[in-house]
Amino acid sequence: MALSMKGDFTDNLGKIYGIYVGGFFGFVVLMAILSMVGVPDRFILWSYMAMTIGIYAFIGIMSRTAVVSEYYVAGRSVPAIYNGMATGADWMSGASFVGMAGTLFVLGYDGLAFVLGWTGGYVLVAVLLAPYLRKFGAYTVPDFLGTRYNGNAARLVGIVVLFACSFTYITAQVYASGIIASQFLGIDFEIAVFAGLLGILVCSMLGGMKAVTWTQVAQYIVLIVAYLLPAVWMSTVQFGIPIPQLTYGGALTKIAEYEQILGVAKAHVAPFTTYSPKDYFFLIFCLMVGTASLPHILMRFFTTPTVREARKSVGWSLFFIFLLYFTAPAYAAFSKFNLMGLFANAEGLQLAFTAIPQWMLNWGSIEGHQLVTICGVKAETVMAIQTACEAKGFVGGFPYAELKLNNDMIVLSTPSIAGMPIWVVGLVGAGGFAAALSTADGLLLAIANALSHDVYYKMIDPKADTKRRLMIAKILLVVVALAAAFLARTKPSDILSMVAWAFSIAAAGLFAPLVLGVWWKRTTSMGAILGMIAGFSVTMYYLIGNVYGFDLVKGTGDEISWFGVASISAGIFGVPVAFIVTYVVSLVTPAPSQEMQEFVDRLRLPGGGQMMIQGADD
């Protein structure tokens, strides 16, 4: 029997997830015992993957539904605290779990732009959009645009923007799941991508938002434990205090000492060594505005019972996200401290090359990736590394500056860097997999629901029955997932870059019509449509021209660079263009109807229930 969203199930959420936490803790203890008695590492790693995918699949299957409102918005009955956990899991993607600490490891101070931008974005969500979109009562972001701006033209442009940003984002998540599965299951990346895809589909296809919500709560528990445990472990081992945020300063002091010993030119705490001040603050802006524009995040606030619960849900989301983001800088610092110590301590003994650990060779040997390189060669064997370094003139000591680690492997390899047992390595892998799956689920739903509800039902076949609508949604979900997997196999870029592009696209195309649609009743349909098109077009033009060196207007292979702005900050051009065009066009076109202006006025009032009643809320 499918899980009921109401009644006994929602009344017993604490008990149900309490049992889940106890079972998960027991499983981790079992893996620790098995590792101590000599069970092969590969068995433990496979067990973690099998257990986590199995429980997610179980929740997904038990949450299957044939009710439209449950499939699209989880029946609008998710309590604030659980929606906060689900939103945290939806938000903390492979980029946050796998990529962010790795970026902080590599960039140091400059990597804090991601922490500041993403955290600040939730403040914009809470203040400007989430409560009002929930009160509006739409199923999807394009649904809001179509209703607020009188018709399918705005809805269609919104779908194009939604598809562009969400597909870019989901490709990054499938890529992340492929990296994790290839390393922890010992299979080729091209095959591992589809293993990750299977995990994504079993969570979302049968039950839509209902299944994804309860799966994401379970995934949050796995990913936050997997992230915090290594950080607490390293803090306790090095400083005797199990609070990494308090010992973070000590780790930075040791890193500075090792930098002197190893001759590192770029200090970890030095600002603006990778990004210029301009790029640093542009990136923060794009990430903040992009956060407040991402359809799969805004959709989560459509699932709460009331507007008040939506407001509380944003607060809980910030808390659950804070737990990881407040730990990420310390996680990166401890990882770097441990790695540098490995070679700094061997330097004077002429043993640096023999100090290269096996985990580094394992990661360096993954086919089709450049995850670890030393002296310009893949770190596959000590002999190959030593030969390459001696050919470059390095003799007698390890050239730390020649060690290049891919951002996307830092978090996953940190337990190995710090000498933790295999059961911790497996736990971190399971956490990273949970992070990638949870966000991919939300993104797939955002795309499939927009296509099935806003294109098929609203524009093609308004008389379609519930069964047909849900069948179309599930088919589209599979098609989009397969397309993302095939694109991810081409390894288009690192995870964090792909995610940053998605944020710029969402910010440029959706932020202006969403914010002005709520806060300026004079915004017209033509203003919103042309503003979306202008902002989206400018950002895509710059992004494609800068990343791929192709000028869409001229049709030539000319690289585009305006004021030297990096591609990850492309939204800095599109967002102001969208606002200016929307504002100017709205002023010169006829004002919205009096009825719509009064509707927008009521939308901003603190009290009142849902304003737009869906005909299929059944």
Side-chain angles (χ1 to χ4, degrees):
M1 182 182 294
L3 290 172
S4 171
M5 285 292 298
K6 300 174 183 176
D8 292 341
F9 180 67
T10 50
D11 291 341
N12 291 288
L13 283 171
K15 181 178 179 181
I16 291 169
Y17 281 104
I19 294 171
Y20 168 76
V21 170
F24 176 62
F25 176 77
F27 178 81
V28 173
V29 171
L30 175 62
M31 291 298 101
I33 294 171
L34 292 179
S35 70
M36 287 188 286
V37 299
V39 171
D41 292 355
R42 187 61 63 189
F43 175 83
I44 292 173
L45 296 178
W46 274 82
S47 297
Y48 268 109
M49 290 297 169
M51 185 279 293
T52 52
I53 292 178
I55 192 67
Y56 305 151
F58 174 77
I59 295 172
I61 293 169
M62 294 297 291
S63 300
R64 63 192 181 275
T65 183
V67 179
V68 170
S69 65
E70 290 190 349
Y71 195 91
Y72 285 146
V73 289
R76 302 196 196 275
S77 59
V78 182
I81 187 170
Y82 292 96
N83 196 54
M85 293 178 75
T87 305
D90 205 352
W91 171 251
M92 288 186 294
S93 61
S96 290
F97 190 101
V98 178
M100 188 168 65
T103 298
L104 288 162
F105 180 104
V106 174
L107 301 185
Y109 178 97
D110 289 2
L112 292 173
F114 291 92
V115 180
L116 295 171
W118 284 336
T119 308
Y122 262 87
V123 178
L124 297 183
V125 172
V127 173
L128 297 178
L129 290 173
Y132 311 103
L133 294 182
R134 173 60 189 90
K135 185 176 180 179
F136 191 90
Y139 275 161
T140 66
V141 169
D143 208 11
F144 168 82
L145 296 173
T147 306
R148 169 64 178 85
Y149 297 118
N150 290 324
N152 290 331
R155 187 189 304 272
L156 185 59
V157 176
I159 290 168
V160 172
V161 179
L162 178 149
F163 186 86
C165 68
S166 298
F167 191 76
T168 303
Y169 205 156
I170 197 174
T171 300
Q173 305 316 308
V174 176
Y175 179 81
S177 68
I179 288 179
I180 296 166
S182 65
Q183 173 63 7
F184 288 85
L185 301 182
I187 57 181
D188 290 340
F189 175 79
E190 285 75 13
I191 299 173
V193 163
F194 290 99
L197 184 69
L198 179 63
I200 293 166
L201 289 176
V202 297
C203 298
S204 56
M205 193 174 79
L206 295 178
M209 183 61 84
K210 175 184 174 182
V212 165
T213 295
W214 303 121
T215 304
Q216 285 174 337
V217 173
Q219 287 165 334
Y220 179 81
I221 294 167
V222 173
L223 74 86
I224 201 64
V225 171
Y227 203 87
L228 294 179
L229 179 62
V232 171
W233 184 304
M234 291 184 288
S235 177
T236 304
V237 169
Q238 297 297 336
F239 298 99
I241 301 174
I243 306 175
Q245 294 84 359
L246 296 182
T247 56
Y248 175 40
L252 291 178
T253 300
K254 293 296 293 183
I255 287 173
E257 293 175 5
Y258 286 152
E259 287 171 342
Q260 294 292 323
I261 296 172
L262 295 171
V264 176
K266 188 178 79 171
H268 186 78
V269 296
F272 311 129
T273 55
T274 301
Y275 300 138
S276 66
K278 173 189 63 183
D279 280 331
Y280 186 81
F281 291 108
F282 282 177
L283 178 58
I284 291 174
F285 172 83
C286 290
L287 295 176
M288 284 183 65
V289 177
T291 299
S293 310
L294 287 173
H296 77 287
I297 294 298
L298 295 175
M299 278 174 60
R300 285 247 46 96
F301 302 106
F302 298 167
T303 66
T304 58
T306 63
V307 176
R308 186 168 183 269
E309 285 288 291
R311 293 179 189 274
K312 291 167 61 178
S313 176
V314 179
W316 280 113
S317 301
L318 271 169
F319 170 73
F320 291 124
I321 293 167
F322 161 84
L323 291 179
L324 188 144
Y325 279 16
F326 195 50
T327 308
Y331 196 117
F334 277 108
S335 182
K336 197 168 195 175
F337 162 43
N338 278 285
L339 182 64
M340 296 179 81
L342 188 68
F343 296 109
N345 296 332
E347 184 80 8
L349 301 174
Q350 306 288 310
L351 294 174
F353 284 109
T354 58
I356 295 173
Q358 185 59 44
W359 66 262
M360 192 175 288
L361 302 178
N362 292 342
W363 282 94
S365 300
I366 293 179
E367 289 293 329
H369 288 276
Q370 297 280 336
L371 296 180
V372 185
T373 62
I374 303 175
C375 292
V377 299
K378 288 185 66 174
E380 296 180 292
T381 66
V382 172
M383 181 63 68
I385 295 166
Q386 187 164 356
T387 300
C389 291
E390 289 176 352
K392 283 193 165 189
F394 298 106
V395 180
F398 183 78
Y400 183 82
E402 293 289 316
L403 171 62
K404 307 296 181 187
L405 302 181
N406 186 289
N407 296 8
D408 299 336
M409 60 153 287
I410 299 297
V411 168
L412 301 174
S413 63
T414 288
S416 300
I417 293 173
M420 298 179 200
I422 190 65
W423 65 268
V424 181
V425 177
L427 176 62
V428 172
F433 205 59
L437 294 186
S438 60
T439 302
D441 290 335
L443 289 161
L444 271 180
L445 275 183
I447 296 173
N449 288 358
L451 293 176
S452 62
H453 178 72
D454 292 292
V455 176
Y456 178 73
Y457 178 61
K458 291 288 187 177
M459 299 169 66
I460 297 175
D461 187 5
K463 296 182 179 179
D465 59 22
T466 296
K467 184 177 180 181
R468 178 176 290 274
R469 291 169 64 189
L470 294 186
M471 180 186 70
I472 293 294
K474 292 172 184 179
I475 292 172
L476 289 168
L477 194 130
V478 174
V479 170
V480 173
L482 286 171
F486 278 106
L487 181 58
R489 291 178 72 212
T490 68
K491 311 178 191 73
S493 185
D494 65 277
I495 296 170
L496 216 58
S497 292
M498 286 188 278
V499 168
W501 299 341
F503 277 72
S504 276
I505 294 169
L510 295 175
F511 190 65
L514 289 173
V515 170
L516 293 177
V518 171
W519 292 99
W520 190 38
K521 62 184 180 182
R522 183 64 176 77
T523 311
T524 66
S525 302
M526 187 58 66
I529 292 167
L530 293 180
M532 280 192 283
I533 292 173
F536 175 70
S537 300
V538 167
T539 294
M540 290 300 294
Y541 173 75
Y542 186 77
L543 195 57
I544 293 171
N546 190 268
V547 175
Y548 298 104
F550 184 79
D551 191 318
L552 287 172
V553 174
K554 297 179 181 177
T556 59
D558 296 329
E559 182 176 340
I560 298 171
S561 180
W562 297 339
F563 310 106
V565 173
S567 63
I568 55 175
S569 303
I572 198 67
F573 301 113
V575 173
V577 166
F579 272 97
I580 292 169
V581 171
T582 303
Y583 178 74
V584 172
V585 175
S586 293
L587 288 180
V588 300
T589 50
S593 66
Q594 188 63 34
E595 181 183 7
M596 177 56 70
Q597 293 190 52
E598 291 173 356
F599 186 93
V600 174
D601 280 334
R602 294 198 307 274
L603 182 65
R604 295 196 300 270
L605 295 176
Q610 180 175 313
M611 297 174 67
M612 176 184 168
I613 306 300
Q614 293 282 352
D617 263 0
D618 50 12

